[in-house]
Amino acid sequence: MTRRGLSALVLLGAILALGDLHVAWGQTAPPTIQGLDKLTPEERAIAERNLEKWQRLTPEERARALENYRQWRSMTPEEREAARQNYRRFRQLTPDQRAQVLKDFQRWNELPKERQQELQKAYERYQRLPQERRDRIQQRLGQWESMTPEERDRVLRNQERWQQMSPDEREQIRERWRQMPPEERERLRQQRQQQRRGPQ
């Protein structure tokens, strides 16, 4: 996930948690409002302007809304603009697409911080790859997604066997493939595709 994508998700979380901050503009605060005493003056002013929504939030939702707001405040103007653009794109998605984004966002938030960092680093490595290499990866991902569960299982078993081979054994297989005539390679590819499809 890119930094921009992460920024968009943070913004989305803040918007969903706080709602439209300007809807309740001008409302006055009752004498005691639970949780307001722990806020900064700026945060308190926003909560007071959105008093009804603030009061309806559970303590956990309030904490999450504040965390999201503070994250938003820490973003650079460029990150905020990217988040705004991503939010506009989000609003243009179909309800099913928005539901999927929210589901993915929830899954991301449930990951341990270490795993999020690993994925972020992997994505950054991917972004640094040459375009041709990224295209090949996308093509293979498309092939993987189009496979049946049985085909995926077979690929995973083959990968496991490959991982168990020594570096010398792997290099021998690569060398045999390189020395194979193009017609033979094509024949093997077609044979594999027929095996995937099964008997017709």
Side-chain angles (χ1 to χ4, degrees):
M1 175 170 293
T2 65
R3 186 164 213 197
R4 280 184 163 189
L6 188 56
S7 299
L9 291 177
V10 168
L11 171 63
L12 180 59
I15 289 170
L16 293 175
L18 283 175
D20 185 354
L21 295 177
H22 303 290
V23 170
W25 188 274
Q27 289 183 343
T28 57
T32 58
I33 305 170
Q34 182 184 8
L36 284 186
D37 56 328
K38 297 178 181 141
L39 305 180
T40 67
E42 182 183 3
E43 293 165 349
R44 189 175 309 120
I46 291 172
E48 287 172 351
R49 285 194 308 263
N50 296 277
L51 189 58
E52 285 182 32
K53 288 186 182 203
W54 177 261
Q55 288 177 318
R56 285 195 307 258
L57 295 176
T58 66
E60 294 79 18
E61 291 170 333
R62 289 177 187 170
R64 190 170 54 248
L66 285 171
E67 181 183 331
N68 290 337
Y69 176 73
R70 289 170 182 161
Q71 176 71 31
W72 172 257
R73 298 286 299 158
S74 71
M75 293 165 71
T76 66
E78 295 80 18
E79 291 171 329
R80 288 185 194 177
E81 183 53 34
R84 285 184 191 102
Q85 289 174 7
N86 286 333
Y87 182 67
R88 284 192 285 270
R89 282 196 293 269
F90 173 79
R91 298 291 294 164
Q92 293 171 352
L93 297 175
T94 66
D96 287 344
Q97 291 170 325
R98 283 197 299 256
Q100 184 61 49
V101 168
L102 293 174
K103 182 179 172 187
D104 292 344
F105 179 60
Q106 181 179 354
R107 283 188 11 225
W108 173 262
N109 282 335
E110 290 170 355
L111 291 174
K113 290 290 181 209
E114 301 79 33
R115 182 63 178 143
Q116 288 180 1
Q117 290 170 353
E118 287 172 20
L119 291 172
Q120 182 66 32
K121 287 177 184 173
Y123 185 77
E124 289 166 3
R125 281 194 309 272
Y126 170 80
Q127 290 294 77
R128 289 190 299 266
L129 292 174
Q131 185 62 46
E132 178 184 313
R133 181 95 187 272
R134 285 189 283 172
D135 291 344
R136 274 200 317 268
I137 290 171
Q138 288 296 323
Q139 179 186 14
R140 288 183 181 155
L141 177 62
Q143 290 171 340
W144 173 261
E145 290 174 342
S146 68
M147 288 180 180
T148 65
E150 295 79 19
E151 290 170 335
R152 289 182 186 179
D153 188 51
R154 185 176 46 75
V155 168
L156 292 173
R157 283 195 314 270
N158 288 341
Q159 182 184 13
E160 191 175 307
R161 280 197 299 269
W162 179 261
Q163 294 296 328
Q164 291 172 354
M165 290 181 186
S166 70
D168 288 341
E169 291 171 322
R170 290 183 205 160
E171 187 52 39
Q172 288 173 2
I173 290 173
R174 286 188 193 105
E175 188 58 35
R176 270 191 303 208
W177 180 259
R178 283 191 291 263
Q179 291 180 0
M180 205 177 281
E183 307 81 39
E184 181 66 15
R185 282 192 235 167
E186 185 56 33
R187 189 186 65 75
L188 287 173
R189 281 191 191 103
Q190 289 178 1
Q191 185 179 5
R192 262 186 269 160
Q193 286 175 351
Q194 288 174 348
Q195 288 172 345
R196 285 183 195 148
R197 286 189 220 118
Q200 299 289 322

